[in-house]
Structures are given as structure tokens and as C-alpha cells.
């Protein structure tokens, strides 16, 4: 009996489409994502497609950006998006952001916190993690060039504007990145439901140090090489079993647990 072909994730389809087209451009969609991209002076904007209703809602952002929008009827919305995308009548073609190097983003904050992602490929999870990272003041969210969610419209919409403000780096090798952070003075903690110590107990008396938190994909968790490279394996105290937590929720809880509170 022949196997039913596995459906490709949307981010994989988008990445392949970009590769075939020979471009690195990204289509952002949704009012929040488009508004924040229009207001971001660091974002290179190429083409804006809007309905009249969306244009009215984005009027100030469009004026600030200086871009001339293409006005279309709602039924003739022709941006090259997935048909299931909830675009709210706004789509913006952009170049991906360039946040610079690891040291550019991870050195200098008063109490640096960094999130590293080990094979977290779902753009919705990464978008939610970017939102939490912004809320808790993380210096960066770091994935890998392969086996991590690239910058896509779905990621940007879930991030609800955070993608424009929260550094999202994609490095060549996760273990090398962990080592580089350790050389910068970071304590690197890998989240693992089988760990014996909690984040709080591991960082007791050391929360003033730079801390990097490494999270794996739901199910497989951290790779063995990652476990061997981090300084300590830790678990979330309140979770009982880490495997039951969504990775984006785990990231938010881990960030909060790593911060010193009076």
C-alpha cells in the first residue's frame, strides 16, 4: 500500500517559492504587521497593496513611510499570498531585516537575556516567542539557517509587530553559537523535562549574569549535541512535565523565571 504524501508546512512552501523566484523578498500581511513594518525606518519596503478600508486604517503609517500604495477592490486582492492568509486587506512586500552579528545584539544590555531555538520550525511559535521576548526585554531570539522558521508573513502576523523591533538572528550552527555566547560570559541553560534542577535553583544568586535559554521543538526536544554544549540542563518548576508545554509558552515562562524580581 502506498504511503500518503506528507503535507509540507506553509513556511517550507513559501521558502521554496522564494528560492524558485530567485529573490529573498517577503510578503507581510495583516494590519498590525504591515503598520509596524511601514513605521520601521530599517525595513526596506518595495510594494504595498491595500483595500480602501485598510488604506484608511493605515493612513498615518503610509504617509510616514513615503510609499505609494496600490489600491485594489477586496474581491480582486492580488497579493501573492496563501489563500488562507488573513490579510485584512493589507500586504507589503519587503526585504528581510538585517540585525547584524551576534555580538551586535548580545553585548551591552544591563542584564542580557537571549532565547535560542533548536529546530523550532513553526512560524506561529516563533512569532509568539518574539512577542514574549520583546515583553521581557530579551536581547535576541536566535535560530539556525536550516531547520528554523524563516522570516515569513505568517511569522510576522503572529509576532504582531514584534518582528520589526525584536532581533531575530539565524546562525549557521547552534552549538557554535552557544560556545560563542559562553565566551561572552553567558550562562547557557537548556530546557529539558528530564532535568533535575529548575531555572530558579540553577540561577540562585546569579540572575545578574547574562543568561541564554535554549528551547527545543515540541516532541523531540533538544538535540544531544545541544545538551552536551549548554552549561546546565534545567526544567520549569511549575510545569511538572516540560513536554506538555507549548514551546512559545515555555519560552515566556523561562524568560520570566530567569529574571531577578524584588
Amino acid at each position: 500500500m502506498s504511503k500518503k504524501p506528507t503535507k509540507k508546512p506553509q513556511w517550507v512552501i513559501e521558502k521554496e517559492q522564494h528560492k524558485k523566484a530567485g529573490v529573498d523578498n517577503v510578503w507581510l500581511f495583516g494590519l498590525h504587521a504591515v503598520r509596524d513594518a511601514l513605521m520601521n525606518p530599517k525595513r526596506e519596503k518595495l510594494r504595498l497593496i491595500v483595500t480602501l478600508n485598510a488604506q484608511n486604517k493605515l493612513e498615518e503609517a503610509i504617509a510616514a513611510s513615503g510609499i505609494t500604495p496600490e489600491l485594489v477592490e477586496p474581491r480582486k486582492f492580488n497579493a501573492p499570498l496563501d489563500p488562507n492568509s488573513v490579510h485584512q486587506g493589507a500586504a507589503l512586500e519587503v526585504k528581510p531585516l538585517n540585525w547584524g552579528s551576534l555580538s551586535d545584539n548580545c553585548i551591552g544590555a544591563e542584564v542580557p537575556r537571549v532565547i535560542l531555538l533548536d529546530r523550532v520550525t513553526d512560524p506561529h511559535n516563533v512569532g509568539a516567542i518574539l512577542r514574549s521576548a520583546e515583553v521581557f526585554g530579551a536581547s535576541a531570539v536566535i535560530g539556525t539557517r536550516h531547520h528554523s522558521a524563516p522570516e515569513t508573513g505568517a511569522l510576522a502576523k503572529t509576532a504582531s509587530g514584534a518582528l520589526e523591533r525584536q532581533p531575530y538572528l539565524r546562525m549557521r550552527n547552534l552549538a557554535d553559537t552557544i560556545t560563542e555566547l559562553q565566551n561572552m560570559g553567558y550562562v547557557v541553560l537548556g530546557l529539558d523535562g528530564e532535568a533535575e534542577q529548575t531555572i530558579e535553583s540553577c540561577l540562585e544568586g546569579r540572575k545578574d549574569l547574562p543568561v541564554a535559554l535554549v528551547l527545543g521543538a515540541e516532541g523531540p526536544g533538544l538535540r544531544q549535541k545541544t545538551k552536551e554544549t549548554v552549561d546546565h540542563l534545567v526544567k520549569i518548576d511549575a510545569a511538572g512535565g516540560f513536554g506538555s508545554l507549548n514551546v512559545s509558552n515555555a519560552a515566556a515562562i523561562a524568560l520570566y523565571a530567569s529574571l531577578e524580581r524584588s
Side-chain angles (χ1 to χ4, degrees):
M1 191 171 76
S2 61
K3 275 189 174 182
K4 187 177 179 181
T6 304
K7 186 178 179 182
K8 291 181 181 178
Q10 184 56 36
W11 71 268
V12 172
I13 295 171
E14 290 184 34
K15 189 173 181 179
E16 289 176 350
Q17 288 171 341
H18 292 163
K19 190 174 181 180
K20 284 179 183 176
V23 296
D24 293 322
N25 301 344
V26 180
W27 278 94
L28 307 180
F29 57 85
L31 293 174
H32 282 296
V34 170
R35 178 183 288 112
D36 284 79
L38 288 171
M39 298 294 290
N40 184 2
K42 295 180 180 179
R43 176 70 85 171
E44 187 177 348
K45 310 157 198 64
L46 305 173
R47 185 182 177 195
L48 175 64
I49 300 174
V50 289
T51 61
L52 180 59
N53 185 43
Q55 180 179 245
N56 291 337
K57 291 179 178 179
L58 296 171
E59 186 177 4
E60 290 184 13
I62 293 171
S65 72
I67 196 170
T68 302
E70 299 173 32
L71 193 61
V72 297
E73 295 289 333
R75 291 183 180 181
K76 297 181 180 178
F77 197 83
N78 60 343
L81 305 175
D82 181 272
N84 296 319
S85 300
V86 184
H87 53 71
Q88 300 173 292
L92 178 65
E93 185 182 18
V94 297
K95 292 284 187 184
L97 287 165
N98 179 9
W99 287 103
S101 68
L102 194 68
S103 59
D104 288 339
N105 292 280
C106 299
I107 294 177
E110 188 174 341
V111 185
R113 292 293 182 267
V114 171
I115 290 283
L116 294 101
L117 304 176
D118 188 0
R119 297 182 299 177
V120 179
T121 58
D122 187 331
H124 301 95
N125 276 333
V126 176
I129 289 167
L130 286 168
R131 291 180 71 178
S132 296
E134 182 179 28
V135 168
F136 291 110
S139 297
V141 174
I142 302 168
T144 51
R145 293 181 192 173
H146 303 288
H147 309 298
S148 71
E151 189 174 326
T152 64
L155 188 154
K157 191 171 193 303
T158 308
S160 193
L163 180 63
E164 304 302 319
R165 300 178 294 271
Q166 177 64 47
Y168 177 44
L169 312 180
R170 296 176 69 214
M171 309 301 290
R172 185 182 299 278
N173 182 284
L174 189 67
D176 290 347
T177 302
I178 290 171
T179 301
E180 194 172 342
L181 286 168
Q182 289 166 333
N183 291 337
M184 292 179 192
Y186 276 79
V187 177
V188 183
L189 309 181
L191 269 72
D192 186 340
E194 303 297 317
E196 295 182 1
Q197 58 184 335
T198 65
I199 296 170
E200 289 91 342
S201 62
C202 182
L203 292 177
E204 188 172 356
R206 300 194 295 168
K207 287 188 176 180
D208 58 333
L209 295 175
V211 176
L213 300 156
V214 191
L215 294 96
E218 292 165 44
L222 300 177
R223 287 175 291 182
Q224 187 60 35
K225 176 67 172 176
T226 305
K227 291 182 180 182
E228 293 168 359
T229 311
V230 300
D231 294 308
H232 307 282
L233 292 174
V234 295
K235 62 184 178 182
I236 293 173
D237 190 28
F242 172 65
S244 65
L245 271 179
N246 174 283
V247 66
S248 60
N249 292 334
I253 294 168
L255 274 172
Y256 181 75
S258 77
L259 295 171
E260 192 152 22
R261 299 181 296 280
S262 55

